[in-house]
Amino acid sequence: MGIELTWEIIIIIVVGGFLAAFIDSVVGGGGLIALPALLAAGLPPHLALGTNKLAGTMSSLTSTITFLRSGNIDLKMTSKLVPLAAIGAITGTLLVQFVPSEWLRPLVIVLLIIVTIYTLFRRDWGSIATFRSHSKRSWIAMAVTALLLGSYDGFFGPGTGSFLIFAFLILGLDFVKAAGNAKLLNLTSNVCSLVVFICLSSVSYGIGLLMGAAMVLGSLVGSRVAIRQGACYVKPLFIGVSTLLITRQIWVMIAG
């Protein structure tokens, strides 16, 4: 894409990718680090978004497999939600080509603040799983959530992992299982969104694969630490990343 890969740029991409994936593999929010790293490498915004999806998909696949092998993904529950997340992601990615994503920013800030405060004051929330079985109402709620958050991930993105985890926590899952289920749906929306970006020729493959390799390593380390440490590790990270997302979105809105 006309970008010279100097050692400085390679370090930014590799280190940024590792740190982004380490965080994203557990609670989402890796875009806070990955996108600025890609922009710093000299990619224009539309290419940075598509390239981030390529690297992010590699990261999501790695962490999803890790959570799956540990038994922390409920396939019976998520298999019915995956198609809805896919439809939403494709629709959202196509829509972002025509509608300014900045229109969503104020709403996202408010929702992230609510999610963070609620999680902060529910001290034992997510430590022990209380989920037993689905009611018809809960299935409908989760189906709508998967569709909307899939669309949101394709259209805008920041906070998708946090919102998905929050939805599964409301159902009564513990933090680790909520993170595992969220990763599978997040992987689905990433793959579908990536396909659309590829069709629109908005992916830099060389940089994307380089960052993706670093993100695979970050995902392996991050997801294994989360599974080993449990809610005592995931909950503070969840709150911390949500707070950073809020700060970042407010800053961008004011600066813009």
Side-chain angles (χ1 to χ4, degrees):
M1 308 307 298
I3 297 174
E4 182 182 355
L5 281 179
T6 63
W7 280 111
E8 289 82 359
I9 290 178
I10 291 173
I11 290 171
I12 289 172
I13 291 171
V14 171
V15 174
F18 179 88
L19 293 175
F22 184 89
I23 294 173
D24 200 69
S25 64
V26 186
V27 295
L32 279 170
I33 300 172
L35 273 175
L38 290 169
L39 291 170
L43 288 180
H46 72 285
L47 269 180
L49 287 170
T51 303
N52 181 54
K53 282 297 179 185
L54 171 59
T57 298
M58 294 170 66
S59 169
S60 291
L61 177 60
T62 304
S63 56
T64 299
I65 291 173
T66 304
F67 275 105
L68 185 61
R69 287 179 173 174
S70 69
N72 283 297
I73 296 181
D74 187 338
L75 289 176
K76 184 178 180 181
M77 178 191 298
T78 53
S79 61
K80 298 178 182 179
L81 302 175
V82 162
L84 295 170
I87 293 170
I90 293 171
T91 304
T93 306
L94 290 172
L95 190 61
V96 77
Q97 311 299 318
F98 307 101
V99 180
S101 60
E102 286 73 16
W103 290 4
L104 273 179
R105 202 176 300 278
L107 176 61
V108 171
I109 292 171
V110 172
L111 291 176
L112 280 170
I113 290 173
I114 293 172
V115 166
T116 305
I117 292 175
Y118 189 85
T119 306
L120 185 62
F121 285 95
R122 289 288 300 274
R123 294 185 179 180
D124 297 325
W125 201 36
S127 298
I128 301 173
T130 59
F131 175 77
R132 294 293 176 266
S133 62
H134 274 293
S135 64
K136 184 177 180 180
R137 182 177 296 180
S138 67
W139 266 122
I140 293 174
M142 285 306 300
V144 172
T145 299
L147 183 63
L148 290 178
L149 287 181
S151 301
Y152 169 74
D153 192 28
F155 184 75
F156 190 52
T160 302
S162 299
F163 291 138
L164 282 169
I165 289 174
F166 187 76
F168 284 115
L169 286 171
I170 290 175
L171 276 183
L173 275 66
D174 62 60
F175 258 104
V176 177
K177 282 190 169 58
N181 285 0
K183 288 313 299 181
L184 180 58
L185 294 187
N186 215 172
L187 171 63
T188 302
S189 61
N190 277 342
V191 169
C192 294
S193 183
L194 173 62
V195 170
V196 177
F197 275 116
I198 289 174
C199 292
L200 295 171
S201 300
S202 294
V203 178
S204 175
Y205 294 100
I207 293 177
L209 290 173
L210 177 62
M211 175 173 273
M215 291 183 99
V216 166
L217 181 58
S219 292
L220 284 171
V221 176
S223 53
R224 286 176 179 175
V225 170
I227 292 166
R228 190 180 307 117
Q229 298 297 325
C232 64
Y233 166 78
V234 179
K235 184 174 181 177
L237 187 61
F238 175 83
I239 294 171
V241 169
S242 296
T243 302
L244 286 174
L245 278 165
I246 293 166
T247 305
R248 169 66 177 168
Q249 298 312 311
I250 292 175
W251 172 258
V252 172
M253 188 170 65
I254 293 174

